Amino acid sequence: MLESIMASSTVLLFLLGFLSVLLSSCAAVEVTYDGRAIKIDGERRVLLSGSIHYPRSTAEMWPDLIQKAKDGGLDTIETYVFWNAHEPHRREYDFSGNLDIIRFLKTIKSAGMYAVLRIGPYVCAEWNYGGFPVWLHNMPGIELRTDNEIYKNEMQNFTTKIVDMARQEKLFASQGGPIILAQIENEYGNFISAYGGAGKSYINWCASMAQSLDIGVPWIMCQQPDAPQPMINTCNGWYCDSFTPNSPNSPKMWTENWTGWFKHWGGRDPHRTAEDLAFAVARFFQFGGTFQNYYMYHGGTNFGRTAGGPYISTSYDYDAPLDEYGNLNQPKWGHLKQLHNHLKSMEKTLTYGDISTTNFKDAVTVTKYDFDGTSSCFLGNANSKIDATITFEGNQYTVPAWSVTILSNCKNEVYNTAKVNTQTSVMVKKSNKAEDGPLLTWRWKPDSNKDTSLQGLGTYEVEGILEQKAASNDTSDYLWYMTSVDIDANDPIASKDLTLRVNTSGHALHAYVNGKLVGSQLAEYGSYDFIFEKKVLLDIGSNQISLLSATVGLKNYGVRYDLANYGIASVELVRTMGDETIIKDLSGHKWVYKVGLNGEDKQLYSNVHLHVKWHGSNLPLNRMMMWYKTTFKTPIGKDPVVVDLQGLGKGHAWVNGHSIGRYWPSYLASDTGCSDTCDYRGTYSDRKCNTNCGNPSQRWYHVPRSFLVDDVNTLVLFEEIGGNPTLVNFQTIAVGTACGKAYEGNTLELSCNSGGQTISDIKFASFGDPQGTCTSFKKGSCESENSLAIIQQACIGKESCSIDVSEKTFGSSNCSNGVNKLAVEIIC
Ligand SMILES: *[C@@H]1O[C@H](CO)[C@@H](O)[C@H](O)[C@H]1NC(C)=O
Ligand SMILES: *[C@@H]1O[C@H](CO)[C@@H](O)[C@H](O)[C@H]1NC(C)=O
Ligand SMILES: *[C@@H]1O[C@H](CO)[C@@H](O)[C@H](O)[C@H]1NC(C)=O
Ligand SMILES: *[C@@H]1O[C@H](CO)[C@@H](O)[C@H](O)[C@H]1NC(C)=O
Ligand SMILES: CC(=O)N[C@H]1CO[C@H](CO)[C@@H](O)[C@@H]1O
């Protein structure tokens, strides 16, 4: 009976849900705002948003990522639009595959979520050249991001194209679509002063150009304190509680709340704790915020040459609530989900309520929202050391240092940002069971340049040295600079004791003289220009100098970052005789240029050129400028796939012709600056809570499942500096163990949360006062005897289990003081 009632009500709910989807999919909504909040159809809203950049995953991954964002309590997805990806050559567009922004927006719509479209089109985003196409920079007479007609014309052309595409598909909320807000420019306020008066007129032009596109939803400008009305200026940062918009009619919006930080080659892994992130968000809402966006909610992967720079790694995991592969990053995802649920339940009071604030000593503030007989309270403790005990409206509360407590009806504590009641998942990598053993069979091919670049053969020649962007349009990381120098016997420079001196703006240089490598140099993170000096032996007669310059991601941020130089600036031969130095400057010579590697021209990474012959035996190891190729079987199951590139040097990798990005496992993270423990208290910075010291800064590379075919796949590597591919292997990623800790009175949910996997064993369970942290829990001085048996009964063999943490479940613990806690470690 009960079951059938439930069944029919489920059907009814389903029908209602279906109906509301139908309705919402055609009905236009009106998006407006006032000083308090964004209003949708006249109603003020609390909006919880997360950034997911469509090119940093695959179209096949989008529905799952977006659904997990929705399940995590978000109602909005935010993305930038990546100009240089969409318009690689002027007026030639690419919206295919993971660049299909329309499909991405439609995926958001079908999940029943809103979208924020940050067109920019300057985006920063740790994306190559901040999203600007390099051909744009190379247009004669152009000046980017300022009051320059050529630039403004190109910016307007691209912005209009994106707006028109979205409009045509009815994707703006005013047309019944998901887009509720759009952004023009990006963090320009940080640098506007560098552009003088032209900066001001440019930003005014941006505003009126955007307005003229008449999209029917509001425009925002982030980090733009003087944003012209009606642009809403918004805040980006790790904390935005003290931000105030520049107009009393604009709501307090946080467009980039940094959930963690990005990684660079040679860098450690940054982590931002769930406690600190929840604290920052709760404080923002405590102090009147109503729209907040996680940057990033899913960071993903910098495929191809999209990583910005210099030296941004291929992984863009960002320690976001969804990890690079789309798995839940626990406890961050779950701890925030609970916060979101509380904030949503307070939506009316937060957006319409009267606000009153009471300050206590030691940086404790209580904020009360009252509306229509309901009230909500935040107790915020911004002190980084001292736990506070306060009395508020007759009740006593303890608020841990650096935390915010939410009280329902201003009475009962329902959430505290420092008390995590969500499981911590420890991900493990498993070997590829589809292969017989770990060893792959390799074929190889040198990037045969003996008869080409080393002989000085290129595609064009110019007098003088060109800057690398100007010479290559950034269509490859690699650019050959070649010249010849004649030395006759009477030349004062004719000597065995000569130095080749190259002044380069980076990032890597390989120098060859008369067909032989004389040396290589790679910039260190943080200082990219260097002087290369090496003794060389020149012949009397003609000598060939061939220099290969390589970039590793163009700058994406800074004052006039677009003008930064790359590649070689000058080349000299230097002879020192006692006090005398003779310099022969070759910079003004005739130089021959070639963009890209021979193997790139021949597309050795793709499966299409089957006639190319690869060598099978005598696999060369630790040899520069080498292409390697192997095949592998698709790992069984649905878990995300990674390739372990340990042993390799630096280069680029492709699977079945799809770039999985640059690799550089030989670049180790510094061996200092990590800590085993991580105190969430105190202002976060990207130097806090680092891990992975002394290890390859990135050893594993994501291979999206959609890049794989049913049986046999091809992996191609271009190895620039020399490495050993024999240890390369494929792995899958899943939850290995998970730990949960919860205080009495909460419910602890435990799950293996990947593809139907069940809980196989319980490694630890104690209800009482358990000590330690995940994977090293220990019993405390007291516990309920049946803790382990009860958890085994409830969880083993299940995909997930939910435990009411109380003496009702476990019987009495014999703890004499304090609240009981439960700690569990499960094995998946
Ligand atoms: C963009 O420029 C092209 C010419 O390069 C022109 O045909 C097109 O109409 C322009 N689009 C807009 C929206 O101005
Ligand atoms: C770079 O692109 C511009 C504009 O498309 C073109 O005129 C120029 O020839 C290109 N330069 C090189 C070196 O390919
Ligand atoms: C290297 O070249 C850059 C760019 O031309 C110049 O600013 C710098 O002074 C040069 N460095 C040396 C040591 O000559
Ligand atoms: C609680 O009980 C356990 C055995 O169940 C015992 O070992 C422990 O000493 C007791 N602790 C206290 C504080 O009574
Ligand atoms: C608005 C805001 O909080 N900006 C901060 C972002 O983070 C940087 C780096 O820590 C700070 O310098 C900014 O003040």
Side-chain angles (χ1 to χ4, degrees):
M1 187 58 199
L2 195 66
E3 264 188 314
S4 73
I5 289 172
M6 279 183 52
S8 58
S9 63
T10 311
V11 169
L12 193 68
L13 274 177
F14 175 78
L15 283 176
L16 281 173
F18 186 65
L19 209 65
S20 71
V21 166
L22 263 185
L23 281 175
S24 70
S25 67
C26 4
V29 297
E30 188 196 30
V31 184
T32 53
Y33 58 92
D34 60 15
R36 203 65 187 266
I38 296 288
K39 298 200 278 188
I40 294 184
D41 279 341
E43 285 291 305
R44 288 183 187 150
R45 299 294 304 271
V46 159
L47 292 171
L48 298 165
S49 169
S51 291
I52 300 179
H53 294 159
Y54 52 96
R56 287 177 155 145
S57 53
T58 61
E60 290 76 7
M61 291 168 71
W62 296 340
D64 179 59
L65 296 174
I66 291 166
Q67 188 58 44
K68 282 172 173 161
K70 188 175 187 186
D71 294 344
L74 301 191
D75 40 33
T76 307
I77 302 292
E78 181 259 44
T79 185
Y80 278 130
V81 180
F82 299 87
W83 188 357
N84 55 5
H86 291 304
E87 196 175 346
H89 305 285
R90 191 163 179 266
R91 304 298 182 262
E92 288 173 29
Y93 298 97
D94 186 357
F95 291 97
S96 65
N98 68 349
L99 296 178
D100 190 346
I101 185 172
I102 297 299
R103 175 169 169 188
F104 182 73
L105 291 165
K106 286 181 173 172
T107 310
I108 295 171
K109 178 177 169 167
S110 47
M113 296 178 81
Y114 298 124
V116 174
L117 193 64
R118 298 173 77 186
I119 300 178
Y122 163 65
V123 297
C124 189
E126 290 73 61
W127 186 265
N128 192 42
Y129 207 45
F132 282 137
V134 171
W135 59 255
L136 183 75
H137 160 82
N138 287 340
M139 285 178 76
I142 202 164
E143 226 189 309
L144 309 190
R145 298 185 85 189
T146 187
D147 198 355
N148 170 286
E149 290 306 320
I150 305 166
Y151 169 69
K152 288 191 299 184
N153 180 49
E154 294 299 308
M155 173 170 168
Q156 177 161 10
N157 197 287
F158 179 74
T159 307
T160 307
K161 170 140 192 111
I162 296 299
V163 165
D164 286 348
M165 284 173 68
R167 196 188 335 252
Q168 195 152 23
E169 299 288 340
K170 299 200 179 342
L171 290 170
F172 289 103
S174 47
Q175 305 171 289
I179 303 169
I180 52 168
L181 296 166
Q183 180 182 305
I184 197 75
E185 248 296 341
N186 188 42
E187 300 191 338
Y188 190 67
N190 296 357
F191 302 115
I192 188 167
S193 59
Y195 297 88
K200 187 74 196 156
S201 50
Y202 165 61
I203 208 70
N204 288 337
W205 172 83
C206 289
S208 58
M209 188 270 284
Q211 281 303 113
S212 74
L213 295 173
D214 196 21
I215 56 177
V217 300
W219 286 92
I220 58 174
M221 278 187 176
C222 64
Q223 300 285 80
Q224 190 69 47
D226 58 352
Q229 290 302 313
M231 303 284 119
I232 309 174
N233 72 312
T234 66
C235 172
N236 292 349
W238 278 309
Y239 304 91
C240 282
D241 44 318
S242 50
F243 166 78
T244 326
N246 66 6
S247 156
N249 300 322
S250 295
K252 176 166 168 171
M253 295 176 62
W254 190 358
T255 40
E256 284 195 14
N257 169 3
W258 302 329
T259 56
W261 202 241
F262 56 87
K263 184 161 78 171
H264 60 79
W265 299 117
R268 303 175 290 257
D269 287 1
H271 297 284
R272 188 177 187 186
T273 60
E275 291 93 332
D276 179 51
L277 184 52
F279 169 73
V281 175
R283 264 185 91 73
F284 180 68
F285 283 92
Q286 169 169 12
F287 293 104
T290 49
F291 173 101
Q292 98 93 29
N293 176 66
Y294 293 98
Y295 188 97
M296 302 292 299
Y297 198 76
H298 171 254
T301 309
N302 292 311
F303 298 113
R305 304 174 54 251
T306 62
Y311 282 23
I312 307 288
S313 61
T314 292
S315 171
Y316 195 64
D317 181 85
Y318 224 92
D319 199 22
L322 299 177
D323 73 11
E324 177 175 4
Y325 319 108
N327 296 309
L328 306 186
N329 177 7
Q330 294 280 47
K332 201 176 261 188
W333 182 87
H335 190 49
L336 294 171
K337 173 188 168 123
Q338 290 172 6
L339 173 60
H340 300 154
N341 291 344
H342 292 299
L343 292 171
K344 277 291 178 187
S345 72
M346 294 152 65
E347 185 165 30
K348 277 275 170 307
T349 42
L350 289 182
T351 53
Y352 288 91
D354 296 329
I355 308 175
S356 52
T357 302
T358 320
N359 289 313
F360 293 77
K361 68 173 167 61
D362 293 334
V364 176
T365 309
V366 175
T367 310
K368 183 171 183 177
Y369 288 82
D370 268 304
F371 177 68
D372 208 11
T374 331
S375 59
S376 304
C377 282
F378 294 88
L379 319 182
N381 181 356
N383 193 296
S384 61
K385 297 254 152 46
I386 304 169
D387 298 346
T389 300
I390 57 162
T391 303
F392 173 68
E393 295 188 348
N395 296 314
Q396 201 179 356
Y397 303 94
T398 299
V399 189
W402 205 254
S403 81
V404 176
T405 294
I406 296 177
L407 303 179
S408 79
N409 240 335
C410 291
K411 277 208 178 58
N412 304 317
E413 172 173 332
V414 290
Y415 186 83
N416 174 275
T417 57
K419 294 178 188 165
V420 177
N421 294 301
T422 299
Q423 77 177 40
T424 297
S425 299
V426 181
M427 307 308 287
V428 292
K429 302 188 176 75
K430 300 178 177 176
S431 61
N432 178 7
K433 295 195 186 67
E435 293 284 348
D436 300 331
L439 292 185
L440 299 166
T441 306
W442 290 91
R443 284 174 293 154
W444 57 279
K445 194 173 168 49
D447 192 66
S448 49
N449 44 33
K450 279 203 177 56
D451 301 327
T452 55
S453 315
L454 299 191
Q455 301 285 342
L457 296 180
T459 42
Y460 65 95
E461 58 181 57
V462 187
E463 298 233 324
I465 303 256
L466 296 176
E467 190 275 334
Q468 188 154 343
K469 283 193 309 305
S472 71
N473 278 334
D474 192 42
T475 50
S476 166
D477 284 355
Y478 299 96
L479 176 66
W480 284 99
Y481 293 77
M482 299 164 279
T483 196
S484 65
V485 49
D486 288 328
I487 309 248
D488 69 56
N490 305 323
D491 197 322
I493 204 97
S495 155
K496 293 209 179 304
D497 189 22
L498 266 187
T499 299
L500 172 68
R501 184 195 282 164
V502 181
N503 173 354
T504 172
S505 311
H507 302 129
L509 179 73
H510 305 291
Y512 297 80
V513 171
N514 294 333
K516 291 211 169 54
L517 181 77
V518 296
S520 293
Q521 193 166 334
L522 302 156
E524 288 295 320
Y525 176 77
S527 77
Y528 302 99
D529 43 1
F530 58 86
I531 307 286
F532 169 94
E533 282 184 307
K534 207 80 189 182
K535 288 268 184 290
V536 290
L537 262 178
L538 293 193
D539 299 332
I540 302 299
S542 173
N543 294 275
Q544 177 59 42
I545 296 178
S546 297
L547 306 172
L548 178 63
S549 172
T551 54
V552 189
L554 306 188
K555 261 180 118 161
N556 51 268
Y557 184 71
V559 186
R560 294 189 190 262
Y561 78 88
D562 51 296
L563 300 181
N565 284 339
Y566 301 87
I568 294 168
S570 68
V571 181
E572 295 164 332
L573 289 169
V574 183
R575 182 177 178 199
T576 311
M577 295 179 297
D579 291 344
E580 200 189 348
T581 305
I582 304 169
I583 296 176
K584 191 179 177 78
D585 192 341
L586 307 181
S587 310
H589 272 208
K590 193 178 77 188
W591 285 84
V592 175
Y593 293 85
K594 179 179 181 311
V595 180
L597 305 164
N598 282 319
E600 288 181 304
D601 296 344
K602 296 204 179 77
Q603 301 185 2
L604 292 185
Y605 48 81
S606 97
N607 283 351
V608 295
H609 297 279
L610 298 171
H611 60 277
V612 173
K613 287 217 168 53
W614 293 74
H615 304 284
S617 51
N618 300 324
L619 183 72
L621 304 181
N622 303 314
R623 193 91 63 79
M624 285 175 64
M625 307 292 286
M626 193 60 69
W627 291 82
Y628 294 105
K629 183 171 181 164
T630 189
T631 55
F632 65 97
K633 295 193 179 127
T634 299
I636 297 157
K638 289 194 169 135
D639 290 335
V641 178
V642 289
V643 58
D644 175 359
L645 294 182
Q646 66 166 314
L648 284 159
K650 168 185 187 291
H652 201 134
W654 294 263
V655 169
N656 295 332
H658 302 276
S659 168
I660 58 168
R662 297 190 187 98
Y663 68 78
W664 200 345
S666 65
Y667 202 163
L668 306 186
S670 68
D671 46 18
T672 56
C674 288
S675 53
D676 292 338
T677 56
C678 172
D679 188 350
Y680 65 85
R681 299 175 306 174
T683 305
Y684 178 74
S685 95
D686 55 320
R687 297 178 160 268
K688 222 174 136 174
C689 303
N690 286 2
T691 59
N692 203 40
C693 280
N695 295 322
S697 45
Q698 189 180 349
R699 177 173 155 187
W700 288 275
Y701 296 80
H702 185 206
V703 182
R705 284 256 172 204
S706 62
F707 287 3
L708 300 175
V709 292
D710 282 345
D711 45 5
V712 179
N713 306 282
T714 306
L715 169 70
V716 174
L717 306 175
F718 169 67
E719 175 53 59
E720 176 187 328
I721 62 172
N724 175 353
T726 57
L727 297 174
V728 167
N729 67 101
F730 286 81
Q731 298 168 357
T732 54
I733 296 193
V735 178
T737 58
C739 303
K741 215 169 169 179
Y743 291 83
E744 199 167 354
N746 287 288
T747 302
L748 182 64
E749 314 256 359
L750 293 163
S751 131
C752 287
N753 86 47
S754 53
Q757 202 179 347
T758 56
I759 298 167
S760 65
D761 203 358
I762 309 297
K763 202 165 153 208
F764 180 91
S766 177
F767 176 75
D769 71 337
Q771 305 294 312
T773 55
C774 183
T775 71
S776 61
F777 284 136
K778 284 189 205 65
K779 273 181 201 171
S781 59
C782 54
E783 68 168 359
S784 155
E785 274 183 77
N786 300 323
S787 304
L788 185 61
I790 287 165
I791 298 290
Q792 283 171 334
Q793 176 75 35
C795 300
I796 289 181
K798 309 226 167 106
E799 278 180 42
S800 65
C801 53
S802 170
I803 299 131
D804 169 28
V805 184
S806 68
E807 295 207 327
K808 211 165 87 209
T809 308
F810 292 96
S812 165
S813 74
N814 54 7
C815 300
S816 48
N817 57 338
V819 186
N820 287 310
K821 275 183 297 192
L822 170 68
V824 182
E825 181 175 345
I826 61 172
I827 296 178
C828 292

